[in-house]
Amino acid sequence: MILQQISIKEVFGRFITKKKKRTVYVLKNGNSVTMKTNSDRYILFKEKGLTCVCCGLTASKAYIEQPRGQSLAHINFYIERKGFKNILFTKDHIIPKCKGGEDKQENYQPMCQICNSKKGGEIEHSNF
């Protein structure tokens, strides 16, 4: 469930840190949410940007979202295309976990959900 849109500049400048694990954020409606601030995904996007390494599209919107039944809210980034559904921005494993790839920043790259789905368990993304 989307709680509120937030600027990407605010996300990168205020929330994403390797040190602090969680922060409380007050929404525009006065409610507060607890958000994780040190996820590998956030750190990847802050360090490597929000442009898909495959198709070159860039995420331009960020939303604070909270899945039903979960206590922590999180931030999702989206590529917005006029007349189309927004595309979720994802963290891709360069060497997929199914082929021995590790969960570490050196093995991550920013990719849109469409390209990530097409890449699947392949190592190279240039074949699709």
Side-chain angles (χ1 to χ4, degrees):
M1 169 173 59
I2 293 176
L3 301 176
Q4 172 180 308
Q5 185 175 342
I6 187 169
S7 78
I8 291 172
K9 184 177 180 179
E10 182 178 4
V11 172
F12 287 161
R14 183 173 179 186
F15 295 110
I16 301 170
T17 174
K18 293 180 183 179
K19 296 177 184 176
K20 191 174 180 183
K21 291 188 178 202
R22 294 186 179 153
T23 190
V24 174
Y25 182 75
V26 179
L27 300 169
K28 292 176 186 173
N29 66 9
N31 293 336
S32 62
V33 293
T34 302
M35 293 192 299
K36 189 174 181 180
T37 57
N38 70 339
S39 79
D40 286 346
R41 190 170 59 93
Y42 297 163
I43 293 166
L44 165 71
F45 297 153
K46 184 173 184 177
E47 292 178 356
K48 294 186 180 176
L50 290 168
T51 299
C52 177
V53 297
C54 187
C55 70
L57 292 176
T58 300
S60 61
K61 298 287 182 185
Y63 295 94
I64 298 171
E65 299 181 3
Q66 187 168 21
R68 294 195 189 278
Q70 292 191 12
S71 59
L72 288 178
H74 60 269
I75 298 166
N76 276 329
F77 299 90
Y78 292 91
I79 297 167
E80 207 173 49
R81 300 177 306 159
K82 191 174 184 175
F84 295 93
K85 185 177 176 182
N86 290 347
I87 302 168
L88 180 66
F89 213 72
T90 64
K91 168 189 79 180
D92 174 64
H93 288 80
I94 297 166
I95 300 172
K97 290 180 77 171
C98 66
K99 294 195 174 163
E102 297 182 59
D103 284 326
K104 59 183 184 180
Q105 285 298 322
E106 297 80 27
N107 192 39
Y108 299 145
Q109 60 187 353
M111 196 176 276
C112 76
Q113 186 175 35
I114 292 171
C115 291
N116 200 341
S117 294
K118 288 178 183 176
K119 178 180 177 259
E122 298 301 316
I123 293 175
E124 296 293 324
H125 59 76
S126 60
N127 296 333
F128 49 86

